[in-house]
Amino acid sequence: MPAADTVLTGARVRTLDPDRPEAGAVALLGGEIVAVGAESDVRDWSGPDTEVVDLGGATLTPGLTDAHSHPVWGVEMAAGADLSAVRDLDGLRTALRAAPRTGGWVLGWGLDHNAFGGRPVHRELIEDTLDGAPAFLRLYDGHSALASGSALTAAGVSGPRAFAQRSEIVCDAEGRPTGHLIEHAAMELVGALAPKPPAAERRARLLALLSDMAAGGLTGAHVMDLGEDVPALLATVEYEGDLPLRLRLAPWCMPGADEDTLRELIALQGKAGRHWEVGGVKLFMDGSVEGGTAWLEHADCHGRGTEAFWPDPEAYAHAVRVLDAAGVPTATHAIGDAAVRHVLDTVASLGERARGRHRIEHIETVPDDQLPRFARLGVAASMQPPHTAYTRADHTDEWSKRLGDERAARAWRCRDLRDAGAVLGLGSDWPIAHHDARQVLATALSPRGAASTGRALTGLMALEGMTSHAALAAGEQAVAGRIAPGYRADLTALALDPVTVAPDELAQAPVRLTVSGGRITHRDAGV
Protein backbone atom coordinates (compact mmCIF):
# COMPACT_ATOMS: atom_id res chain seq x y z
CA MET A 1 0.00 0.00 0.00
CA PRO A 2 1.39 3.46 -0.85
CA ALA A 3 1.81 5.92 2.00
CA ALA A 4 -1.45 7.51 3.16
CA ASP A 5 -2.27 11.18 2.76
CA THR A 6 -3.73 11.27 6.27
CA VAL A 7 -3.75 8.87 9.21
CA LEU A 8 -6.23 9.30 12.06
CA THR A 9 -5.21 7.75 15.35
CA GLY A 10 -5.80 8.08 19.08
CA ALA A 11 -9.53 7.38 18.74
CA ARG A 12 -12.21 4.82 19.43
CA VAL A 13 -13.31 4.03 15.90
CA ARG A 14 -16.95 2.93 15.52
CA THR A 15 -16.78 1.62 11.98
CA LEU A 16 -20.38 0.36 11.58
CA ASP A 17 -18.68 -2.38 9.55
CA PRO A 18 -20.01 -5.76 10.74
CA ASP A 19 -16.72 -7.40 9.75
CA ARG A 20 -14.76 -5.10 12.10
CA PRO A 21 -17.01 -3.04 14.40
CA GLU A 22 -14.19 -1.20 16.19
CA ALA A 23 -10.64 -0.11 15.44
CA GLY A 24 -7.97 2.28 16.65
CA ALA A 25 -6.68 4.00 13.51
CA VAL A 26 -7.70 4.79 9.93
CA ALA A 27 -5.64 5.64 6.82
CA LEU A 28 -6.91 7.88 4.02
CA LEU A 29 -5.59 8.27 0.48
CA GLY A 30 -7.04 10.08 -2.51
CA GLY A 31 -10.40 10.70 -0.84
CA GLU A 32 -10.89 7.06 0.18
CA ILE A 33 -10.33 4.94 3.25
CA VAL A 34 -7.46 2.60 2.42
CA ALA A 35 -6.81 0.89 5.76
CA VAL A 36 -8.49 0.33 9.11
CA GLY A 37 -6.55 -1.16 11.96
CA ALA A 38 -4.78 -0.63 15.25
CA GLU A 39 -2.54 2.19 16.42
CA SER A 40 0.40 -0.14 15.91
CA ASP A 41 -0.30 -0.03 12.16
CA VAL A 42 0.23 3.71 11.85
CA ARG A 43 3.95 3.46 11.11
CA ASP A 44 3.34 1.02 8.24
CA TRP A 45 0.81 3.38 6.64
CA SER A 46 2.89 6.56 6.93
CA GLY A 47 5.41 8.23 4.67
CA PRO A 48 7.33 11.51 4.81
CA ASP A 49 4.32 13.50 3.56
CA THR A 50 1.63 11.76 5.64
CA GLU A 51 -0.25 13.91 8.13
CA VAL A 52 -0.83 11.93 11.31
CA VAL A 53 -3.71 13.36 13.35
CA ASP A 54 -4.01 12.32 16.99
CA LEU A 55 -7.68 12.61 18.00
CA GLY A 56 -6.91 12.52 21.71
CA GLY A 57 -9.41 9.86 22.71
CA ALA A 58 -12.32 11.07 20.59
CA THR A 59 -14.85 8.72 19.01
CA LEU A 60 -14.50 8.48 15.24
CA THR A 61 -17.59 7.51 13.25
CA PRO A 62 -18.55 7.42 9.59
CA GLY A 63 -19.25 10.95 8.40
CA LEU A 64 -22.56 12.33 9.62
CA THR A 65 -24.99 13.06 6.79
CA ASP A 66 -28.13 15.18 7.02
CA ALA A 67 -30.69 13.07 5.17
CA HIS A 68 -32.97 16.04 4.41
CA SER A 69 -31.75 19.62 4.10
CA HIS A 70 -32.12 22.77 1.99
CA PRO A 71 -28.78 24.59 2.30
CA VAL A 72 -28.85 26.31 -1.11
CA TRP A 73 -32.51 27.33 -1.24
CA GLY A 74 -32.38 27.92 2.51
CA VAL A 75 -29.95 30.81 2.05
CA GLU A 76 -32.87 32.59 0.39
CA MET A 77 -35.56 31.19 2.71
CA ALA A 78 -33.73 32.21 5.88
CA ALA A 79 -33.71 35.89 4.91
CA GLY A 80 -34.43 38.79 7.21
CA ALA A 81 -35.42 38.43 10.85
CA ASP A 82 -35.11 35.03 12.51
CA LEU A 83 -38.54 34.64 14.13
CA SER A 84 -38.01 31.11 15.45
CA ALA A 85 -37.79 32.32 19.06
CA VAL A 86 -41.12 34.21 18.88
CA ARG A 87 -43.64 32.57 21.20
CA ASP A 88 -46.69 34.86 21.09
CA LEU A 89 -48.28 37.70 19.17
CA ASP A 90 -46.75 40.41 21.38
CA GLY A 91 -43.31 38.91 20.72
CA LEU A 92 -43.98 38.88 16.99
CA ARG A 93 -45.06 42.51 16.94
CA THR A 94 -41.98 43.52 18.94
CA ALA A 95 -39.71 41.59 16.56
CA LEU A 96 -41.26 43.19 13.49
CA ARG A 97 -40.88 46.71 14.85
CA ALA A 98 -37.16 46.05 15.27
CA ALA A 99 -36.71 44.06 12.05
CA PRO A 100 -34.33 45.51 9.46
CA ARG A 101 -35.60 46.64 6.06
CA THR A 102 -34.18 44.73 3.12
CA GLY A 103 -34.71 46.71 -0.04
CA GLY A 104 -37.61 48.39 1.75
CA TRP A 105 -39.19 45.04 2.71
CA VAL A 106 -39.60 43.38 6.10
CA LEU A 107 -38.58 39.75 5.70
CA GLY A 108 -38.76 37.02 8.32
CA TRP A 109 -38.62 33.27 8.65
CA GLY A 110 -39.15 30.45 11.15
CA LEU A 111 -42.41 31.84 12.59
CA ASP A 112 -44.20 29.29 14.77
CA HIS A 113 -47.93 28.81 14.10
CA ASN A 114 -48.40 28.58 17.87
CA ALA A 115 -47.37 32.24 18.21
CA PHE A 116 -50.84 33.27 17.02
CA GLY A 117 -52.44 31.69 20.09
CA GLY A 118 -55.15 29.94 18.12
CA ARG A 119 -56.13 33.05 16.12
CA PRO A 120 -56.31 32.78 12.32
CA VAL A 121 -53.10 33.91 10.63
CA HIS A 122 -54.04 37.41 9.44
CA ARG A 123 -52.16 40.48 8.26
CA GLU A 124 -54.31 42.76 10.43
CA LEU A 125 -52.43 41.40 13.46
CA ILE A 126 -49.16 42.96 12.26
CA GLU A 127 -49.94 45.80 9.83
CA ASP A 128 -49.48 48.63 12.34
CA THR A 129 -45.93 47.47 13.15
CA LEU A 130 -44.73 47.81 9.54
CA ASP A 131 -45.24 51.53 8.76
CA GLY A 132 -46.65 50.54 5.38
CA ALA A 133 -43.63 48.45 4.33
CA PRO A 134 -44.31 45.29 2.35
CA ALA A 135 -43.67 42.23 4.47
CA PHE A 136 -43.21 38.55 3.66
CA LEU A 137 -42.89 36.26 6.68
CA ARG A 138 -42.32 32.54 6.21
CA LEU A 139 -43.91 30.31 8.82
CA TYR A 140 -41.71 27.60 10.23
CA ASP A 141 -43.19 24.74 8.17
CA GLY A 142 -41.91 26.26 4.93
CA HIS A 143 -45.34 25.65 3.38
CA SER A 144 -47.06 28.89 4.37
CA ALA A 145 -46.36 32.58 4.78
CA LEU A 146 -47.93 35.81 5.97
CA ALA A 147 -47.86 38.78 3.60
CA SER A 148 -48.77 42.35 4.44
CA GLY A 149 -51.37 44.36 2.53
CA SER A 150 -48.78 46.36 0.60
CA ALA A 151 -46.95 43.16 -0.39
CA LEU A 152 -50.20 41.65 -1.67
CA THR A 153 -50.92 44.83 -3.64
CA ALA A 154 -47.43 44.80 -5.17
CA ALA A 155 -48.04 41.21 -6.32
CA GLY A 156 -51.48 42.00 -7.69
CA VAL A 157 -53.14 39.59 -5.27
CA SER A 158 -56.65 40.83 -4.56
CA GLY A 159 -58.67 37.65 -4.19
CA PRO A 160 -58.68 33.85 -4.49
CA ARG A 161 -57.05 32.03 -7.40
CA ALA A 162 -57.03 28.51 -8.80
CA PHE A 163 -53.72 26.62 -8.95
CA ALA A 164 -52.52 23.44 -10.66
CA GLN A 165 -51.25 22.19 -7.30
CA ARG A 166 -52.81 22.30 -3.84
CA SER A 167 -52.29 25.95 -2.88
CA GLU A 168 -54.51 28.66 -1.45
CA ILE A 169 -54.74 32.41 -1.03
CA VAL A 170 -56.76 32.52 2.17
CA CYS A 171 -59.58 35.06 1.94
CA ASP A 172 -62.18 36.39 4.37
CA ALA A 173 -65.95 36.13 3.93
CA GLU A 174 -65.90 39.11 1.55
CA GLY A 175 -63.22 37.53 -0.65
CA ARG A 176 -60.38 39.77 0.57
CA PRO A 177 -56.95 38.14 1.10
CA THR A 178 -56.01 37.77 4.77
CA GLY A 179 -52.33 37.63 3.86
CA HIS A 180 -52.10 33.92 4.74
CA LEU A 181 -50.58 32.14 1.73
CA ILE A 182 -50.63 28.35 1.85
CA GLU A 183 -48.28 26.17 -0.22
CA HIS A 184 -45.67 26.97 -2.82
CA ALA A 185 -47.68 28.36 -5.74
CA ALA A 186 -49.52 30.85 -3.54
CA MET A 187 -46.39 31.85 -1.62
CA GLU A 188 -44.41 32.39 -4.80
CA LEU A 189 -46.80 35.12 -5.97
CA VAL A 190 -45.41 37.42 -3.27
CA GLY A 191 -42.12 35.68 -2.48
CA ALA A 192 -40.91 36.22 -6.05
CA LEU A 193 -41.01 39.99 -5.44
CA ALA A 194 -39.07 39.92 -2.16
CA PRO A 195 -35.47 41.16 -2.46
CA LYS A 196 -32.86 38.45 -3.17
CA PRO A 197 -29.17 38.56 -2.21
CA PRO A 198 -26.70 39.41 -4.99
CA ALA A 199 -24.83 36.46 -6.50
CA ALA A 200 -21.57 37.12 -4.65
CA GLU A 201 -23.38 37.48 -1.31
CA ARG A 202 -25.35 34.31 -1.99
CA ARG A 203 -22.14 32.34 -2.61
CA ALA A 204 -20.52 33.77 0.51
CA ARG A 205 -23.54 32.95 2.66
CA LEU A 206 -23.72 29.42 1.26
CA LEU A 207 -20.06 28.76 2.01
CA ALA A 208 -20.42 30.19 5.52
CA LEU A 209 -23.47 28.00 6.13
CA LEU A 210 -21.79 24.84 4.86
CA SER A 211 -18.73 25.62 6.99
CA ASP A 212 -20.99 25.93 10.05
CA MET A 213 -22.57 22.59 9.15
CA ALA A 214 -19.13 20.99 8.94
CA ALA A 215 -18.26 22.48 12.34
CA GLY A 216 -21.33 20.67 13.70
CA GLY A 217 -20.02 17.35 12.39
CA LEU A 218 -21.73 17.09 9.01
CA THR A 219 -19.80 15.71 6.04
CA GLY A 220 -22.71 15.65 3.58
CA ALA A 221 -26.38 16.39 3.00
CA HIS A 222 -29.25 15.08 0.90
CA VAL A 223 -30.51 18.34 -0.59
CA MET A 224 -34.23 18.16 -1.35
CA ASP A 225 -34.39 20.85 -4.05
CA LEU A 226 -32.55 22.05 -7.15
CA GLY A 227 -33.25 25.53 -8.46
CA GLU A 228 -32.55 26.22 -12.12
CA ASP A 229 -29.39 28.20 -11.38
CA VAL A 230 -28.04 25.93 -8.65
CA PRO A 231 -25.73 23.78 -10.84
CA ALA A 232 -24.11 26.97 -12.15
CA LEU A 233 -23.88 28.36 -8.61
CA LEU A 234 -22.17 25.22 -7.31
CA ALA A 235 -19.85 25.08 -10.32
CA THR A 236 -18.80 28.67 -9.60
CA VAL A 237 -18.16 27.87 -5.94
CA GLU A 238 -16.00 24.91 -6.94
CA TYR A 239 -14.15 27.01 -9.51
CA GLU A 240 -13.20 29.37 -6.69
CA GLY A 241 -12.56 26.68 -4.04
CA ASP A 242 -14.16 23.67 -2.39
CA LEU A 243 -17.56 22.86 -0.92
CA PRO A 244 -17.22 22.02 2.78
CA LEU A 245 -19.93 19.34 2.43
CA ARG A 246 -20.77 16.70 -0.15
CA LEU A 247 -24.23 17.53 -1.57
CA ARG A 248 -26.65 15.11 -3.24
CA LEU A 249 -29.44 17.16 -4.86
CA ALA A 250 -32.95 16.18 -5.96
CA PRO A 251 -34.90 18.50 -8.31
CA TRP A 252 -38.65 18.87 -7.79
CA CYS A 253 -41.36 17.22 -9.84
CA MET A 254 -44.58 19.16 -9.32
CA PRO A 255 -48.21 18.57 -10.33
CA GLY A 256 -48.73 19.24 -14.02
CA ALA A 257 -45.39 17.71 -15.02
CA ASP A 258 -45.73 16.35 -18.56
CA GLU A 259 -43.63 13.78 -20.41
CA ASP A 260 -41.12 16.42 -21.53
CA THR A 261 -40.66 17.55 -17.93
CA LEU A 262 -40.07 13.99 -16.79
CA ARG A 263 -37.50 13.47 -19.55
CA GLU A 264 -35.70 16.64 -18.42
CA LEU A 265 -35.62 15.38 -14.83
CA ILE A 266 -34.21 12.07 -16.00
CA ALA A 267 -31.56 13.83 -18.09
CA LEU A 268 -30.42 15.85 -15.05
CA GLN A 269 -29.43 12.70 -13.15
CA GLY A 270 -25.69 12.36 -12.66
CA LYS A 271 -24.90 16.01 -13.38
CA ALA A 272 -22.08 16.64 -10.94
CA GLY A 273 -19.10 18.60 -9.71
CA ARG A 274 -16.28 17.53 -7.41
CA HIS A 275 -18.42 17.40 -4.27
CA TRP A 276 -22.01 17.61 -5.54
CA GLU A 277 -24.23 15.45 -7.70
CA VAL A 278 -27.84 15.37 -8.89
CA GLY A 279 -29.30 12.10 -7.67
CA GLY A 280 -33.04 11.50 -7.48
CA VAL A 281 -36.24 13.52 -7.78
CA LYS A 282 -38.32 15.15 -5.02
CA LEU A 283 -42.13 15.01 -5.15
CA PHE A 284 -44.89 16.17 -2.81
CA MET A 285 -47.93 14.13 -1.85
CA ASP A 286 -49.14 16.70 0.70
CA GLY A 287 -48.18 19.85 2.60
CA SER A 288 -48.25 20.47 6.36
CA VAL A 289 -50.59 19.71 9.24
CA GLU A 290 -50.63 23.30 10.53
CA GLY A 291 -51.44 24.65 7.08
CA GLY A 292 -54.32 22.22 6.69
CA THR A 293 -52.67 20.62 3.64
CA ALA A 294 -51.42 17.33 5.08
CA TRP A 295 -53.36 14.56 3.31
CA LEU A 296 -55.25 12.69 6.02
CA GLU A 297 -57.45 9.62 6.10
CA HIS A 298 -59.96 11.72 8.04
CA ALA A 299 -60.33 15.51 8.11
CA ASP A 300 -58.58 17.57 10.77
CA CYS A 301 -60.47 19.55 13.42
CA HIS A 302 -61.16 22.33 10.88
CA GLY A 303 -62.52 19.96 8.26
CA ARG A 304 -59.30 20.25 6.23
CA GLY A 305 -56.73 17.75 5.01
CA THR A 306 -58.74 15.39 2.82
CA GLU A 307 -57.08 16.35 -0.49
CA ALA A 308 -53.70 15.46 -1.92
CA PHE A 309 -51.08 17.97 -3.11
CA TRP A 310 -51.45 16.49 -6.59
CA PRO A 311 -55.12 17.17 -7.46
CA ASP A 312 -55.02 13.85 -9.33
CA PRO A 313 -53.07 11.37 -7.17
CA GLU A 314 -52.88 8.96 -10.11
CA ALA A 315 -50.84 11.57 -12.00
CA TYR A 316 -48.31 11.40 -9.15
CA ALA A 317 -48.22 7.61 -9.45
CA HIS A 318 -47.64 7.89 -13.21
CA ALA A 319 -44.70 10.26 -12.67
CA VAL A 320 -43.13 7.85 -10.18
CA ARG A 321 -43.60 4.94 -12.60
CA VAL A 322 -41.85 6.84 -15.41
CA LEU A 323 -38.97 7.86 -13.17
CA ASP A 324 -38.62 4.37 -11.72
CA ALA A 325 -38.52 2.80 -15.18
CA ALA A 326 -35.55 5.07 -15.93
CA GLY A 327 -33.82 3.98 -12.73
CA VAL A 328 -34.34 7.33 -11.00
CA PRO A 329 -34.86 7.21 -7.22
CA THR A 330 -37.61 9.36 -5.73
CA ALA A 331 -38.15 11.09 -2.39
CA THR A 332 -41.75 12.01 -1.63
CA HIS A 333 -42.88 14.50 0.99
CA ALA A 334 -45.72 12.68 2.81
CA ILE A 335 -46.72 13.91 6.26
CA GLY A 336 -50.29 12.67 6.69
CA ASP A 337 -51.46 9.07 6.94
CA ALA A 338 -53.31 9.11 3.59
CA ALA A 339 -50.27 10.56 1.83
CA VAL A 340 -47.97 7.90 3.29
CA ARG A 341 -50.40 5.15 2.29
CA HIS A 342 -50.65 6.43 -1.29
CA VAL A 343 -46.87 6.57 -1.73
CA LEU A 344 -46.50 3.03 -0.38
CA ASP A 345 -49.31 1.83 -2.65
CA THR A 346 -47.55 3.46 -5.61
CA VAL A 347 -44.23 1.77 -4.84
CA ALA A 348 -46.03 -1.55 -4.31
CA SER A 349 -47.38 -1.29 -7.87
CA LEU A 350 -43.83 -1.08 -9.24
CA GLY A 351 -42.83 -4.58 -8.22
CA GLU A 352 -39.57 -5.97 -6.87
CA ARG A 353 -37.39 -3.91 -9.24
CA ALA A 354 -38.18 -0.78 -7.21
CA ARG A 355 -36.90 -2.19 -3.94
CA GLY A 356 -34.45 0.17 -2.24
CA ARG A 357 -34.96 2.94 -4.81
CA HIS A 358 -37.65 5.11 -3.19
CA ARG A 359 -38.09 6.95 0.09
CA ILE A 360 -40.70 8.93 2.03
CA GLU A 361 -39.89 12.21 3.77
CA HIS A 362 -41.29 13.38 7.14
CA ILE A 363 -43.98 10.75 8.03
CA GLU A 364 -45.31 12.78 10.95
CA THR A 365 -48.23 10.48 11.71
CA VAL A 366 -48.70 6.92 10.50
CA PRO A 367 -50.97 4.08 11.70
CA ASP A 368 -49.80 0.66 12.81
CA ASP A 369 -50.82 -1.15 9.63
CA GLN A 370 -48.46 0.92 7.47
CA LEU A 371 -45.30 0.41 9.55
CA PRO A 372 -44.31 -3.05 8.25
CA ARG A 373 -44.88 -2.00 4.64
CA PHE A 374 -41.71 0.14 4.62
CA ALA A 375 -39.44 -2.85 5.12
CA ARG A 376 -41.58 -5.16 3.00
CA LEU A 377 -41.45 -2.78 0.01
CA GLY A 378 -37.89 -1.56 0.61
CA VAL A 379 -39.02 2.05 1.07
CA ALA A 380 -36.70 4.15 3.23
CA ALA A 381 -38.15 6.45 5.89
CA SER A 382 -36.53 9.89 6.16
CA MET A 383 -37.48 11.77 9.33
CA GLN A 384 -36.52 14.94 11.18
CA PRO A 385 -36.68 14.60 14.99
CA PRO A 386 -36.11 18.34 15.66
CA HIS A 387 -39.49 19.15 14.07
CA THR A 388 -41.11 17.94 17.26
CA ALA A 389 -39.95 21.13 19.01
CA TYR A 390 -43.04 22.86 17.54
CA THR A 391 -45.38 20.45 19.31
CA ARG A 392 -46.29 19.92 22.98
CA ALA A 393 -46.65 16.79 25.04
CA ASP A 394 -50.10 17.90 26.29
CA HIS A 395 -51.34 18.31 22.68
CA THR A 396 -52.17 22.01 23.10
CA ASP A 397 -50.10 22.98 20.06
CA GLU A 398 -51.59 23.65 16.62
CA TRP A 399 -50.22 20.42 15.09
CA SER A 400 -51.75 18.23 17.78
CA LYS A 401 -55.04 20.13 17.98
CA ARG A 402 -55.59 19.77 14.25
CA LEU A 403 -54.96 16.04 14.29
CA GLY A 404 -56.68 15.15 17.57
CA ASP A 405 -55.32 12.98 20.34
CA GLU A 406 -55.43 9.65 18.49
CA ARG A 407 -53.30 10.73 15.55
CA ALA A 408 -51.11 13.02 17.67
CA ALA A 409 -50.30 10.00 19.83
CA ARG A 410 -48.54 8.37 16.87
CA ALA A 411 -46.23 11.30 16.16
CA TRP A 412 -42.80 10.82 14.55
CA ARG A 413 -42.67 7.03 15.08
CA CYS A 414 -38.94 6.70 14.48
CA ARG A 415 -38.40 3.79 16.85
CA ASP A 416 -41.51 1.94 15.69
CA LEU A 417 -40.31 2.14 12.09
CA ARG A 418 -36.85 0.87 13.03
CA ASP A 419 -38.36 -1.99 15.05
CA ALA A 420 -40.50 -2.84 12.00
CA GLY A 421 -37.29 -3.26 9.98
CA ALA A 422 -37.34 -0.01 8.03
CA VAL A 423 -34.32 1.92 6.83
CA LEU A 424 -34.45 5.22 8.74
CA GLY A 425 -32.44 8.25 7.65
CA LEU A 426 -32.37 11.24 9.99
CA GLY A 427 -32.01 14.93 9.19
CA SER A 428 -32.89 18.49 10.13
CA ASP A 429 -34.78 19.92 7.11
CA TRP A 430 -32.78 23.12 7.61
CA PRO A 431 -33.92 25.93 7.72
CA ILE A 432 -37.09 24.39 9.22
CA ALA A 433 -34.94 23.21 12.14
CA HIS A 434 -31.32 23.86 13.07
CA HIS A 435 -28.76 22.01 11.01
CA ASP A 436 -26.48 20.95 13.90
CA ALA A 437 -26.09 17.17 13.55
CA ARG A 438 -25.58 16.77 17.29
CA GLN A 439 -29.02 18.26 17.95
CA VAL A 440 -30.60 15.87 15.44
CA LEU A 441 -28.99 12.92 17.21
CA ALA A 442 -29.83 14.20 20.69
CA THR A 443 -33.50 14.75 19.83
CA ALA A 444 -33.72 11.26 18.35
CA LEU A 445 -32.50 9.95 21.72
CA SER A 446 -34.90 12.14 23.70
CA PRO A 447 -38.02 12.96 21.62
CA ARG A 448 -39.84 16.20 22.40
CA GLY A 449 -43.40 17.43 22.38
CA ALA A 450 -46.05 15.17 20.92
CA ALA A 451 -43.38 12.53 20.22
CA SER A 452 -42.20 12.38 23.84
CA THR A 453 -44.68 9.64 24.73
CA GLY A 454 -43.17 7.31 22.13
CA ARG A 455 -40.06 5.21 22.45
CA ALA A 456 -36.69 6.75 21.67
CA LEU A 457 -34.06 5.40 19.33
CA THR A 458 -31.01 3.80 20.87
CA GLY A 459 -27.71 5.61 20.51
CA LEU A 460 -26.61 3.17 17.83
CA MET A 461 -29.86 3.54 15.90
CA ALA A 462 -29.56 7.32 15.93
CA LEU A 463 -25.96 7.18 14.72
CA GLU A 464 -26.96 4.77 11.96
CA GLY A 465 -29.68 7.22 10.94
CA MET A 466 -27.05 9.79 9.97
CA THR A 467 -24.50 7.31 8.62
CA SER A 468 -25.26 3.79 7.37
CA HIS A 469 -29.03 4.27 7.03
CA ALA A 470 -28.59 7.66 5.36
CA ALA A 471 -26.34 5.89 2.85
CA LEU A 472 -28.97 3.19 2.29
CA ALA A 473 -31.66 5.85 1.77
CA ALA A 474 -29.51 7.37 -0.99
CA GLY A 475 -28.49 4.05 -2.54
CA GLU A 476 -24.87 4.74 -1.57
CA GLN A 477 -24.36 1.85 0.84
CA ALA A 478 -21.48 0.44 -1.24
CA VAL A 479 -19.39 3.61 -0.85
CA ALA A 480 -20.65 5.44 2.24
CA GLY A 481 -21.95 4.94 5.76
CA ARG A 482 -19.17 2.83 7.25
CA ILE A 483 -15.44 2.99 7.91
CA ALA A 484 -13.90 0.30 5.74
CA PRO A 485 -11.31 0.11 2.95
CA GLY A 486 -12.71 1.31 -0.36
CA TYR A 487 -15.32 3.57 1.23
CA ARG A 488 -15.33 7.34 0.90
CA ALA A 489 -13.19 9.18 3.40
CA ASP A 490 -16.13 10.88 5.12
CA LEU A 491 -15.56 10.87 8.88
CA THR A 492 -16.67 12.68 12.03
CA ALA A 493 -14.79 12.73 15.34
CA LEU A 494 -16.70 13.72 18.50
CA ALA A 495 -15.19 14.25 21.93
CA LEU A 496 -17.91 12.00 23.40
CA ASP A 497 -19.23 8.64 22.21
CA PRO A 498 -22.58 9.30 20.47
CA VAL A 499 -23.70 5.73 21.12
CA THR A 500 -23.44 5.86 24.91
CA VAL A 501 -23.54 9.53 25.97
CA ALA A 502 -26.64 11.18 27.46
CA PRO A 503 -28.71 13.26 24.99
CA ASP A 504 -28.05 16.62 26.65
CA GLU A 505 -24.30 15.97 26.61
CA LEU A 506 -24.38 14.81 23.00
CA ALA A 507 -26.07 18.04 21.90
CA GLN A 508 -23.02 19.97 23.19
CA ALA A 509 -20.27 17.43 22.42
CA PRO A 510 -17.21 19.13 20.87
CA VAL A 511 -16.55 18.16 17.26
CA ARG A 512 -12.85 17.34 17.11
CA LEU A 513 -12.57 16.74 13.37
CA THR A 514 -14.74 16.60 10.25
CA VAL A 515 -13.43 15.00 7.06
CA SER A 516 -15.35 15.08 3.76
CA GLY A 517 -13.88 13.26 0.78
CA GLY A 518 -10.52 13.07 2.54
CA ARG A 519 -10.43 16.85 3.10
CA ILE A 520 -10.35 18.15 6.65
CA THR A 521 -13.27 20.60 6.66
CA HIS A 522 -13.28 21.31 10.41
CA ARG A 523 -10.57 20.89 13.01
CA ASP A 524 -10.99 21.70 16.69
CA ALA A 525 -8.26 23.60 18.47
CA GLY A 526 -5.54 21.25 19.67
CA VAL A 527 -6.19 18.52 17.09
Side-chain angles (χ1 to χ4, degrees):
M1 182 186 98
D5 296 328
T6 308
V7 171
L8 306 179
T9 187
R12 178 181 185 176
V13 183
R14 287 194 175 273
T15 67
L16 300 191
D17 179 1
D19 294 331
R20 182 168 191 163
E22 295 199 17
V26 180
L28 315 178
L29 178 64
E32 289 189 355
I33 298 166
V34 292
V36 179
E39 291 194 26
S40 57
D41 297 317
V42 170
R43 180 174 297 179
D44 295 335
W45 300 339
S46 303
D49 297 322
T50 300
E51 180 181 12
V52 178
V53 180
D54 188 336
L55 293 173
T59 297
L60 186 68
T61 73
L64 299 179
T65 296
D66 191 321
H68 188 121
S69 186
H70 300 278
V72 187
W73 183 35
V75 166
E76 177 184 319
M77 290 177 66
D82 180 354
L83 303 175
S84 60
V86 169
R87 293 294 174 261
D88 54 33
L89 186 56
D90 286 342
L92 173 60
R93 292 167 57 81
T94 298
L96 294 179
R97 288 190 182 97
R101 271 33 175 188
T102 304
W105 283 63
V106 175
L107 304 177
W109 60 284
L111 178 57
D112 189 347
H113 290 77
N114 295 302
F116 293 91
R119 301 177 184 86
V121 177
H122 202 297
R123 57 188 173 85
E124 290 179 351
L125 300 173
I126 62 165
E127 291 282 15
D128 63 333
T129 69
L130 302 171
D131 296 326
F136 185 69
L137 313 177
R138 293 182 185 271
L139 277 78
Y140 92 89
D141 62 358
H143 286 254
S144 53
L146 175 58
S148 68
S150 56
L152 293 170
T153 298
V157 176
S158 58
R161 295 190 188 182
F163 298 97
Q165 57 190 254
R166 196 66 63 198
S167 291
E168 181 183 2
I169 299 169
V170 179
C171 295
D172 62 21
E174 285 74 41
R176 296 171 301 193
T178 66
H180 192 192
L181 307 173
I182 298 177
E183 294 302 335
H184 306 290
M187 294 166 63
E188 184 62 12
L189 295 173
V190 177
L193 301 180
K196 307 296 189 297
E201 180 185 338
R202 189 177 175 212
R203 291 197 301 273
R205 288 174 58 186
L206 174 61
L207 280 171
L209 170 66
L210 295 178
S211 296
D212 285 346
M213 289 179 167
L218 285 175
T219 65
H222 300 169
V223 180
M224 291 298 164
D225 61 82
L226 180 70
E228 289 185 4
D229 68 336
V230 169
L233 168 67
L234 296 177
T236 301
V237 171
E238 290 200 318
Y239 176 78
E240 297 172 345
D242 284 319
L243 288 167
L245 262 66
R246 183 185 307 279
L247 305 179
R248 180 181 178 88
L249 303 106
W252 287 5
C253 178
M254 300 297 272
D258 58 17
E259 300 305 312
D260 287 342
T261 300
L262 294 173
R263 281 192 288 271
E264 291 170 2
L265 290 169
I266 292 167
L268 274 173
Q269 304 302 305
K271 187 177 183 65
R274 293 195 303 276
H275 299 291
W276 63 272
E277 179 180 10
V278 178
V281 168
K282 168 77 177 296
L283 303 98
F284 294 82
M285 205 62 246
D286 65 356
S288 72
V289 170
E290 295 90 339
T293 52
W295 189 18
L296 306 170
E297 300 282 8
H298 306 288
D300 66 19
C301 70
H302 298 293
R304 303 284 298 261
T306 57
E307 297 175 303
F309 186 76
W310 287 61
D312 177 9
E314 175 52 32
Y316 159 85
H318 171 74
V320 172
R321 284 194 291 269
V322 172
L323 294 167
D324 180 76
V328 177
T330 68
T332 300
H333 172 119
I335 278 176
D337 43 18
V340 172
R341 188 186 302 273
H342 186 77
V343 178
L344 292 172
D345 288 347
T346 299
V347 176
S349 74
L350 302 175
E352 188 61 25
R353 75 179 188 193
R355 184 171 188 82
R357 187 174 291 160
H358 305 285
R359 52 193 275 181
I360 300 178
E361 310 299 310
H362 308 311
I363 317 166
E364 292 184 2
T365 180
V366 61
D368 290 344
D369 65 336
Q370 297 304 300
L371 296 174
R373 299 186 71 197
F374 283 82
R376 188 161 66 242
L377 298 171
V379 174
S382 170
M383 301 180 72
Q384 299 74 45
H387 285 192
T388 60
Y390 295 98
T391 67
R392 300 169 186 161
D394 64 3
H395 295 174
T396 59
D397 60 281
E398 291 300 312
W399 185 91
S400 299
K401 286 190 293 185
R402 276 189 174 267
L403 289 182
D405 288 341
E406 179 184 352
R407 285 181 294 203
R410 55 187 198 225
W412 284 271
R413 301 181 70 177
C414 294
R415 179 59 182 268
D416 292 341
L417 280 161
R418 274 301 305 260
D419 287 350
V423 170
L424 176 65
L426 299 178
S428 67
D429 198 12
W430 190 88
I432 309 306
H434 199 280
H435 54 69
D436 194 313
R438 296 164 297 179
Q439 293 184 22
V440 175
L441 294 172
T443 310
L445 297 179
S446 182
R448 306 176 194 170
S452 61
T453 57
R455 294 180 304 137
L457 294 176
T458 67
L460 179 58
M461 287 175 176
L463 177 60
E464 289 170 341
M466 300 195 78
T467 54
S468 58
H469 279 230
L472 283 163
E476 295 185 325
Q477 62 271 25
V479 296
R482 66 176 64 177
I483 300 175
Y487 279 66
R488 288 196 308 235
D490 296 345
L491 303 137
T492 302
L494 298 172
L496 302 174
D497 186 346
V499 173
T500 61
V501 71
D504 57 341
E505 294 180 279
L506 177 55
Q508 303 296 325
V511 179
R512 296 297 189 210
L513 194 75
T514 308
V515 180
S516 182
R519 301 167 299 122
I520 295 176
T521 54
H522 168 75
R523 189 196 298 252
D524 200 6
V527 172

